[in-house]
Amino acid sequence: MSTPYPFTAIVGQDDLRLGLLLNAVSPAVGGVLVRGEKGTAKSTAVRALAALMPEVAVVAGCRFSCDPGTPDPACPDGPHEAGTGVSRAARTVELPVGASEDRLVGALDIERALSEGVKAFEPGLLADAHRGILYVDEVNLLHDHLVDLLLDAAAMGASYVEREGVSVRHAARFLLVGTMNPEEGELRPQLLDRFGLTVEVAASRETDLRVEVVRRRLAYDDDPAGFAARWADEEAALRARIVSARALLPRVVLGDGVLRQIAATCAAFEVDGMRADIVMARTATALAAWAGREEVVSDDVRQAALLALPHRRRRNPFDAPGLDEDKLDQTLEDAADAADEQGDDDPDPDGPGGGVPPQGGGPESDGGGSDAGGSDDADAGGGTDAPGREDTGSGDAPAPGSGGEQQPVRAGEPFRTKVLSVPGLGEGAAGRRSRARTEHGRTTGSRRPEGALTKLHLAATVQAAAPHQRARGRSGRGLVVRRDDLRQATREGREGNLVLFVVDASGSMAARQRMSAVKGAVMSLLLDAYQRRDKVGLVTFRGKDAEVALPPTSSVDAAAARLESLPTGGRTPLAAGLLRAHDVLRVERLRDPSRRPLLVVVTDGRATGGVDPVALAGRAGRLHASEGTASVVVDCESGFVRLGLAAQLARDLGGDAVTLDELRADSIAGLVKDITAAGRAA
């Protein structure tokens, strides 16, 4: 086994280390989500924490790590007699992004359950992580239903496996740590709220600190064991402090005064629900124990708020997590004053803090803020267009920064959009947009299993086994079931798609002051894509060419940022935009063939530049149609005189056209519009 990088040797990253240590002291805090750019010691710190965790006593031979002092009476390997056990190091279990549900929660042997009535259960990763650390790298890329399962287990302290009336329960209490790079997409607010704490990490921009990071990392790579030995004393001291804080935790007093501060803070920052109040109370208590105090003070509440509230204040994916510290200080002061006026026996709000964890001693310690290195982190005004003519008043496409380019305008207010879906039945990544064959959803039929059976179709299995009972010599009440009788349930749910936006940013769009409304519509569609777990991409066209403003990504907020800064002006090279979109989709089909695309073209249909640009755009549209790409044209044409070019483009694409007004979910055109591809697949 390789020598882990010492936790105390990590340079800086105080919030990251503090969040991990508080959860080590009190797992009831609810875990920590670490957000940050690549190469910022996220994975390194998590793996290093495992070496600091105290050893655990377990029942010998128990696959579920039962405590010999208080064994779980419902343990599938039980019952166990209370007594002495064996000690081992606390485990760190990593959950891969591509893990299946059975790998996470465990699997039942359905064949034995049906024929013998035996609960033959193979434990999953939740059982392995009991009384240890469960680490999920890139948690934002994990399927939502798996995130739901592990967060439910973390909240309840137990895992439940249900298969066709057969159920198994086992204890699953662990320190949950998730890491993510926001550039690759965000977690849903409901899932963010389930993590107790969130910390933001970033690499230092100070030269001396970056030099120290490199120096330590190179020293570790040259001699991992020798480097770890130089930090052994600091590691032992930190491990002893965790044990001491755990012992002190039950004696820490949370007074009414600080409880009032916690409640006032959560109310002032308008966080939803009561989970934030509870997490703040547990975090403040852990901070006091970490500082060696038996009472919680105001500084503990402040530090707890900085760790527990920022991610709970996001109202949509375009909001950056954060907390106004001036407002926080004022709220705490006002709550303390109110408590004093009521004569509360509140601990001194100006009492000593204690929230900053040790930097790590030794001659190499100098504070700071960057990555210690980890194997996976260190890689770590135009006129009105007329079809077929140049843009009136815009002339040739202006160079960037010239007078022909107009400054970006702000997006209009977003709204709830209609559901735009891809026709047919897909098999892509789990999501909420289009119909697909999935592991979760309503049962539509059965088939013979390919590999391990995951979802049993009980009626079909019994039907397959019934004709053979006499030949198999059935004599008792049990059903004689063979492997060939088992049937896998086929289910239909929803998938996420690749939604590629092709946005007209030419002078014709800006001339009628429409760009704000157009950006608002695209922003609304982006918000819808976020909620439906889609990948998104952005192609814009203006001047003489088109560009990929954002390659396909799961980061919807990155697309929103690019859209906000989008300038306008110049000609309308519609065909170039469609051809550039075709190139993007061609590459994405090779990268992710199971994810079906939805092309959303936002334009008034006008085209300029070259010979017969409208016909050229039509040919580009028919190229998409020939490949069966589902598409929709958002018609931005306005005024009394309408040329109907967007509708013609939609026909060339083999899709439909909707106006900006019809795009709203509350319009009279209906709530759902299925976008049809060539041939209008069923």
Side-chain angles (χ1 to χ4, degrees):
M1 181 178 178
S2 61
T3 303
Y5 192 95
F7 190 88
T8 51
I10 295 173
V11 180
Q13 303 295 18
D14 289 348
D15 285 346
L16 169 59
R17 292 183 295 117
L18 177 59
L20 292 172
L21 290 170
L22 291 178
N23 276 275
V25 171
S26 175
V29 166
V32 59
L33 175 65
V34 185
R35 297 163 45 92
E37 59 197 25
K38 49 189 175 293
T40 48
K42 299 189 297 294
S43 297
T44 298
V46 175
R47 296 188 177 108
L49 179 67
L52 298 175
M53 299 291 285
E55 288 192 340
V56 294
V58 299
V59 174
C62 178
R63 298 175 297 166
F64 301 87
S65 303
C66 280
D67 185 342
T70 55
D72 182 6
C75 176
D77 283 356
H80 304 299
E81 295 291 336
T84 59
V86 296
S87 295
R88 62 162 175 79
R91 292 172 179 160
T92 296
V93 177
E94 296 194 28
L95 174 62
V97 169
S100 66
E101 180 180 340
D102 284 348
R103 183 72 186 97
L104 176 63
V105 301
L108 282 168
D109 188 333
I110 300 298
E111 185 175 355
R112 292 188 64 192
L114 289 176
S115 59
E116 303 175 28
V118 176
K119 294 183 181 180
F121 181 68
E122 184 65 30
L125 295 177
L126 291 180
D128 293 341
H130 180 46
R131 305 175 67 200
I133 300 173
L134 180 61
Y135 172 46
V136 189
D137 194 14
E138 306 294 354
V139 65
N140 52 324
L141 303 183
L142 196 66
H143 283 182
D144 283 352
H145 76 280
L146 292 182
V147 179
D148 287 330
L149 284 172
L150 72 90
L151 289 177
D152 283 343
M156 296 185 297
S159 174
Y160 295 85
V161 182
E162 301 281 349
R163 294 289 188 276
E164 306 299 335
V166 180
S167 63
V168 172
R169 173 212 168 273
H170 65 82
R173 293 184 296 275
F174 46 81
L175 193 167
L176 175 63
V177 183
T179 60
M180 60 174 284
N181 183 349
E183 295 176 355
E184 297 173 337
E186 288 285 357
L187 279 171
R188 290 184 288 128
Q190 299 93 322
L191 299 181
L192 278 173
D193 183 58
R194 299 293 290 275
F195 281 94
L197 310 179
T198 296
V199 296
E200 298 279 341
V201 295
S204 173
R205 299 298 183 254
E206 296 184 26
T207 302
D208 290 343
L209 298 180
R210 297 176 75 95
V211 168
E212 184 62 24
V213 170
V214 175
R215 181 182 292 120
R216 295 188 187 186
R217 183 65 204 187
L218 293 179
Y220 170 77
D221 289 341
D222 289 342
D223 183 11
F227 183 83
R230 293 198 295 274
W231 292 89
D233 291 343
E234 287 77 12
E235 292 283 287
L238 188 56
R239 188 180 300 108
R241 187 176 176 185
I242 292 173
V243 174
S244 177
R246 282 186 171 186
L248 179 61
L249 186 67
R251 303 197 302 272
V252 175
V253 176
L254 187 69
D256 288 343
V258 291
L259 270 176
R260 188 176 296 276
Q261 285 185 314
I262 290 171
T265 301
C266 293
F269 285 99
E270 300 178 344
V271 295
D272 296 331
M274 294 298 298
R275 184 176 283 118
D277 303 63
I278 297 170
V279 170
M280 274 190 63
R282 289 172 174 166
T283 304
T285 303
L287 280 163
W290 179 249
R293 287 183 273 101
E294 293 190 6
E295 62 181 12
V296 177
V297 298
S298 184
D299 281 353
D300 297 330
V301 177
R302 186 183 193 279
Q303 183 67 65
L306 293 174
L307 293 171
L309 295 188
H311 62 296
R312 292 185 164 89
R313 298 197 63 241
R314 300 188 74 197
R315 291 296 183 264
N316 64 65
F318 312 137
D319 293 338
L323 211 62
D324 185 339
E325 294 194 31
D326 291 337
K327 180 178 178 180
L328 173 61
D329 291 337
Q330 187 62 52
T331 301
L332 292 173
E333 183 179 342
D334 292 345
D337 290 344
D340 290 341
E341 290 175 3
Q342 295 178 11
D344 264 333
D345 296 327
D346 192 23
D348 180 8
D350 297 320
V356 180
Q359 168 60 35
E364 300 179 11
S365 175
D366 63 353
S370 191
D371 187 2
S375 59
D376 57 339
D377 266 344
D379 301 322
T384 303
D385 281 82
R389 297 207 312 268
E390 303 299 325
D391 296 67
T392 304
S394 60
D396 291 339
S402 68
E405 181 177 285
Q406 299 187 17
Q407 292 299 315
V409 297
R410 293 187 61 83
E413 192 69 24
F415 51 84
R416 189 166 64 92
T417 67
K418 293 178 182 177
V419 180
L420 307 178
S421 60
V422 178
L425 197 62
E427 294 181 346
R432 291 183 173 83
R433 183 171 297 278
S434 304
R435 295 172 54 216
R437 298 182 185 92
T438 61
E439 287 295 317
H440 300 270
R442 62 186 182 89
T443 301
T444 58
S446 65
R447 60 176 174 81
R448 291 182 180 273
E450 299 173 0
L453 179 71
T454 56
K455 300 293 182 181
L456 176 72
H457 194 296
L458 182 59
T461 299
V462 172
Q463 187 176 13
H468 308 291
Q469 296 306 294
R470 181 175 297 177
R472 293 173 182 173
R474 173 186 172 186
S475 59
R477 300 180 61 183
L479 189 67
V480 182
V481 179
R482 303 281 172 80
R483 175 68 186 175
D484 290 342
D485 301 328
L486 299 179
R487 295 295 182 268
Q488 175 86 18
T490 57
R491 301 191 176 191
E492 181 178 314
R494 293 281 169 176
E495 67 177 359
N497 299 110
L498 166 60
V499 182
L500 182 61
F501 294 92
V502 182
V503 180
D504 185 348
S506 67
S508 69
M509 299 291 285
R512 293 184 174 86
Q513 306 279 319
R514 287 178 288 170
M515 206 58 197
S516 177
V518 168
K519 283 188 176 182
V522 178
M523 198 73 76
S524 303
L525 290 167
L526 283 171
L527 181 58
D528 181 69
Y530 165 79
Q531 294 168 340
R532 299 186 187 282
R533 316 307 290 164
D534 296 315
K535 289 180 68 175
V536 297
L538 179 62
V539 173
T540 64
F541 58 94
R542 56 182 292 274
K544 293 182 179 179
D545 203 359
E547 66 172 347
V548 181
L550 182 71
T553 175
S554 296
S555 180
V556 175
D557 50 346
R562 301 291 175 89
L563 183 69
E564 282 283 6
S565 61
L566 178 66
T568 58
R571 297 175 179 173
T572 313
L574 176 55
L578 294 173
L579 292 175
R580 184 60 59 90
H582 180 268
D583 291 341
V584 171
L585 294 180
R586 177 176 53 81
V587 173
E588 285 302 307
R589 285 190 179 99
L590 296 175
R591 289 177 176 170
D592 191 357
S594 65
R595 189 180 289 267
R596 298 187 295 163
L598 174 62
L599 184 67
V600 179
V601 185
V602 185
T603 181
D604 56 11
R606 289 174 168 81
T608 59
V611 179
D612 202 355
V614 174
L616 187 61
R619 288 198 294 273
R622 289 190 290 275
L623 177 61
H624 284 281
S626 67
E627 296 182 353
T629 302
S631 60
V632 59
V633 177
V634 179
D635 186 357
C636 302
E637 192 173 31
S638 61
F640 294 105
V641 179
R642 295 175 180 265
L643 302 177
L645 295 173
Q648 178 57 50
L649 176 62
R651 289 192 289 272
D652 290 330
L653 286 164
D656 289 335
V658 295
T659 66
L660 290 175
D661 288 338
E662 292 171 342
L663 191 61
R664 295 178 179 270
D666 54 0
S667 71
I668 61 174
L671 295 179
V672 178
K673 178 178 285 293
D674 287 329
I675 306 308
T676 54
R680 294 186 176 271

